Amino acid sequence: MAKSKIVLPNDIERIPELSEFIETFCDQQMVDFSMAMSLNLALEEAVVNVMSYAYPAGVAGDVTVEAMAEDGSLTFTLIDSGTPFDPTAQAEVDTTLSAEERPIGGLGIHLVRQIMDKVHYQYKDGQNILTLTKKV
């Protein structure tokens, strides 16, 4: 079992560090490039949402990303102590509607659901815990 972790402040300027972390972890697990890019896209979407919405404006906070490889799966766990929010409780986006007809928001979790095999949320001990799993 391989594990790795990065802690980032809620500052979108730090997203390149997340990309580097995911790329390095995927390289170590010999994940092919296109799969690594998809994982990076899903994780970036989820982490940017935490950075943008978990904490009130002007309040500093962290998001921890833990990566684990085990039994042919990669699991990424995002942990923050911001406002409780369950992205898995959001309705599926109706992608048949035109961009003008669709309500704003929701495409990020839609994208994450499309890329990952499992998406699980829990709020425990004052923390949002979003677990994303992909079979490789």
Side-chain angles (χ1 to χ4, degrees), residues 32-107:
D32 72 66
F33 181 76
S34 66
M35 170 76 74
M37 293 307 293
S38 291
L39 292 169
N40 190 35
L41 182 62
L43 284 155
E44 185 175 309
E45 189 62 47
V47 170
V48 166
N49 281 344
V50 171
M51 288 177 168
S52 300
Y53 305 115
Y55 301 97
V59 174
D62 290 330
V63 56
T64 299
V65 180
E66 297 175 346
M68 184 174 73
E70 186 175 40
D71 300 330
S73 288
L74 298 182
T75 301
F76 298 91
T77 306
L78 283 63
I79 304 163
D80 70 81
S81 54
T83 305
F85 177 73
D86 180 357
T88 66
Q90 305 308 299
E92 286 288 339
V93 174
D94 185 350
T95 55
T96 63
L97 296 175
S98 71
E100 292 79 29
E101 295 173 302
R102 254 186 263 140
I104 293 173
L107 283 176

